[in-house]
Amino acid sequence: MGVATNRATKSKSPTYRCTECGWAAIKWVGRCGECQAWGTLVEAGGQTSVRTAAAAPGRPAVPIADVDASLARAGTTGVGEFDRVLGGGLVPGGVVLMAGEPGIGKSTLALDVAARAAREGRRVLYVSGEESAAQVRLRGQRIGALADTLYLASETDLGSVLGHLESTQPALVVVDSVQTIASAEVEGAPGNVGQVREVASALIQAAKSANIAAILIGHVTKDGAIAGPRVLEHLVDVVVQFEGERHSRLRLVRAVKNRFGPTDEVGCFDLGDSGIVGLPDPSGLFLTSRDRPVPGTCVTVTLEGRRPLVTEVQALVTESSGGSPRRTTSGLDSSRLAMVLAVLTRRADVSVATHDCYASTVGGVRLAEPSADLALALAVAGAHRDAPLPQGLIAVGEVGLAGDIRPVTGLPRRLSEAARIGFTRAVVPAGSLTEGPAPAGVVVREVSTLKEAVDLALGWQA
């Protein structure tokens, strides 16, 4: 079958296109309607409509049972915690987008993974658009990431990067970062929406056509979102996000998209002077060591994928000095705190409407699971009454607006992890023990309302 040619027609009316993101308009305006940049619209000539005709396929379609699945089998990166997040490792031809705030450890982890792959005999290309090759080499020497088959290139031109891929023919390529690479065929500065879209598309096409595993490091905006067009996250196969406080050594790597594995796994890392090291047993890192209980603290167990994490929630309640009480959170959802405070005031006789309330987690971990509601409520209640909770107590449960305590999933795993750390008491929703018996050595009390939970936890006798 012959290949038909494309037919294009051009209208008489001109169009105006943004040089930053490529947004088009039929008339000139001062501000781009997509990226909100001022003065970036220029006349691009008449509008062109193209009709694509059918063409002969390069490869025929085959039955799904005849496809060789071994070509997409994941290979380990040598970093167990990173493999957990990726779903087993890097897949040949798969593209991983690694995003996070500056200085959080993205480049360090990527260089460590590249060096481990090179030590296994694979050819690896590390492209840095932010640092010189000498700077990358010094960091590699500091963290012990030197290997004979690890090649470095400091490039910011897309054509040069693609040339390095053709000449080196690596099994793994790392691009740090995708926002620093620019294409000469696209107008605008590196990092704008149009450039990021073109660079990412070209790198993904090159990686998949040559069966190269690729790691693209991306910047984030001040709101924590990945910089660039939203289509960037749709183009790649895996998106992992770095989390953690910049002044803390603990780093969490979470998969928010994964075509090859689960999206609810989290990897724990310790970022130090000698590099970034995986923490296969992070339980206890999110707890504060103290000799006696302190008012305003409660421990819960959250599930990150299949991994239970024992985490401490802290609260401080003080008299408000102004007309509007303050509500401040760190590691917790502020709207969740506001809801818990409202339920405490209305349903549990813990009036905090005229008090400043501060809530935080320990160790820089972020709790988004509703199962932490009960621990947050008990911490606030203890801080308000200046009464500590019993030693060795954990609380797990979701708080409803009616003041009820709702069951959560995976309670046996949560209680087993708490028992392993040394906790001996637990407050859980009513009916939770139907999933399985409580671990030996743990006294479990079931509650159905928040008021019952507050009275039980603050009055629990040994």
Side-chain angles (χ1 to χ4, degrees):
M1 182 176 64
V3 179
T5 58
N6 293 339
R7 294 177 295 172
T9 59
K10 180 178 291 187
S11 63
K12 295 181 180 180
S13 60
T15 184
Y16 297 87
R17 191 172 299 276
C18 176
T19 58
E20 292 295 322
C21 68
W23 180 73
I26 60 175
K27 64 179 181 179
W28 187 88
V29 291
R31 189 175 188 180
C32 173
E34 178 69 23
C35 65
Q36 305 299 316
W38 288 94
T40 57
L41 265 70
V42 296
E43 186 174 351
Q47 296 178 337
T48 302
S49 59
V50 178
R51 178 183 300 171
T52 301
R59 289 174 296 179
V62 297
I64 188 172
D66 296 340
V67 177
D68 187 3
S70 63
L71 299 177
R73 184 172 291 116
T76 177
T77 63
V79 182
E81 289 297 295
F82 197 41
D83 289 341
R84 173 196 293 268
V85 177
L86 296 178
L90 292 172
V91 176
V95 181
V96 178
L97 176 61
M98 187 186 301
E101 295 181 356
I104 203 168
K106 305 183 301 296
S107 301
T108 303
L109 178 59
L111 184 58
D112 186 25
V113 171
R116 290 175 184 269
R119 293 193 195 102
E120 294 179 357
R122 290 181 283 178
R123 189 184 296 263
V124 181
L125 175 63
Y126 191 102
V127 179
S128 176
E130 301 178 349
E131 302 173 285
S132 66
Q135 291 173 320
V136 177
R137 201 269 185 195
L138 289 176
R139 187 171 75 249
Q141 181 176 354
R142 175 173 56 87
I143 66 175
L146 301 180
D148 294 336
T149 57
L150 174 58
Y151 295 84
L152 300 180
S154 179
E155 295 287 352
T156 57
D157 178 67
L158 177 60
S160 300
V161 174
L162 296 177
H164 281 295
L165 286 175
E166 292 184 359
S167 61
T168 308
Q169 295 183 354
L172 170 65
V173 59
V174 178
V175 179
D176 183 14
S177 64
V178 69
Q179 279 85 5
T180 60
I181 310 298
S183 172
E185 306 298 328
V186 179
E187 297 182 358
N192 68 34
V193 176
Q195 286 284 5
V196 172
R197 182 189 295 112
E198 174 63 22
V199 170
S201 299
L203 292 175
I204 293 171
Q205 182 180 2
K208 293 189 177 298
S209 61
N211 217 29
I212 302 172
I215 298 178
L216 308 182
I217 298 178
H219 296 166
V220 296
T221 64
K222 61 181 180 180
D223 298 328
I226 299 176
R230 193 69 179 180
V231 70
L232 176 60
E233 300 180 47
H234 295 287
L235 290 175
V236 299
D237 301 306
V238 183
V239 179
V240 296
Q241 190 91 20
F242 267 77
E243 299 177 2
E245 299 290 338
R246 294 192 60 184
H247 303 292
S248 172
R249 296 180 54 171
L250 179 67
R251 297 292 185 266
L252 300 180
V253 179
R254 192 184 307 272
V256 296
K257 173 190 175 182
N258 194 349
R259 291 174 177 166
F260 312 121
T263 57
D264 55 358
E265 286 290 359
V266 62
C268 298
F269 294 87
D270 180 23
L271 180 63
D273 296 335
S274 59
I276 188 166
V277 181
L279 299 173
D281 186 13
S283 292
L285 296 177
F286 312 122
L287 301 176
T288 301
S289 300
R290 53 176 66 95
D291 297 331
R292 57 184 179 85
V294 176
T297 64
C298 186
V299 177
T300 187
V301 184
T302 181
L303 281 182
E304 296 289 350
R306 294 178 294 273
R307 166 182 286 183
L309 296 179
V310 181
T311 308
E312 181 177 318
V313 179
Q314 298 181 343
L316 178 64
V317 179
T318 61
E319 288 284 350
S320 178
S321 59
S324 178
R326 299 189 62 182
R327 305 286 189 257
T328 304
T329 62
S330 175
L332 294 163
D333 188 5
S334 57
S335 61
R336 206 75 190 176
L337 172 64
M339 187 204 74
V340 170
L341 295 179
V343 178
L344 278 172
T345 301
R346 185 68 178 87
R347 308 291 185 185
D349 298 332
V350 181
S351 180
V352 292
T354 60
H355 292 71
D356 294 335
C357 297
Y358 306 87
S360 175
T361 59
V362 173
V365 66
R366 179 166 185 83
L367 294 182
E369 195 182 10
S371 64
D373 289 351
L374 183 56
L376 175 60
L378 295 181
V380 172
H384 179 262
R385 298 181 181 178
D386 198 25
L389 299 178
Q391 187 82 20
L393 181 138
I394 67 164
V396 180
E398 179 183 357
V399 175
L401 293 179
D404 55 320
I405 306 299
R406 300 172 182 171
V408 297
T409 60
L411 188 62
R413 270 184 293 165
R414 301 174 195 259
L415 294 178
S416 298
E417 182 67 13
R420 188 180 70 86
I421 300 299
F423 289 88
T424 57
R425 312 181 190 192
V427 179
V428 301
S432 298
L433 294 181
T434 56
E435 299 183 34
V442 179
V443 179
V444 179
R445 299 287 181 86
E446 295 182 302
V447 294
S448 56
T449 65
L450 182 57
K451 178 173 175 48
E452 182 184 353
V454 172
D455 294 341
L456 170 65
L458 295 180
W460 195 326
Q461 302 297 324

